[in-house]
Amino acid sequence: MKKNKEIEVHSEETTRNINGTTYPVTELYIGKKQIGSVLTYGQKEFQSFADDENLGTSKSMNTAIETIIRRWNLHEQ
């Protein structure tokens, strides 16, 4: 049976200007590699991206981050 390996994910906060409006963005990294980002549109609207692929909208930051990590797990292993 394959043993699960723990990985450390860290985040950095930044902003992105889209059509004249500035939005907060949380970028997710494993080591020095960026695995995705979450753009915060509103109080309950979080857009997930990985490698310029739109992964959809979530109602919470935690769900958006989980979406990115799941996608990374499927494609990197």
Side-chain angles (χ1 to χ4, degrees):
M1 179 187 286
K2 187 175 179 181
K3 186 176 178 182
N4 289 337
K5 182 172 70 171
E6 286 193 28
I7 57 170
E8 184 178 325
V9 178
H10 69 277
S11 64
E12 293 181 11
E13 303 297 321
T14 185
T15 58
R16 190 168 294 155
N17 193 328
I18 301 172
N19 298 327
T21 304
T22 302
Y23 296 97
V25 175
T26 303
E27 297 176 339
L28 301 175
Y29 293 87
I30 294 178
K32 293 182 180 182
K33 180 180 180 184
Q34 183 177 358
I35 63 167
S37 59
V38 179
L39 190 131
T40 304
Y41 280 113
Q43 203 169 6
K44 290 190 176 185
E45 189 174 358
F46 302 90
Q47 192 74 39
S48 301
F49 297 93
D51 297 328
D52 295 329
E53 178 184 349
N54 185 339
L55 302 178
T57 303
S58 302
K59 292 185 178 183
S60 74
M61 177 63 81
N62 286 341
T63 304
I65 290 171
E66 199 171 297
T67 299
I68 293 169
I69 293 171
R70 282 186 181 161
R71 185 214 176 261
W72 180 83
N73 264 335
L74 287 174
H75 290 76
E76 294 297 323
Q77 299 197 7

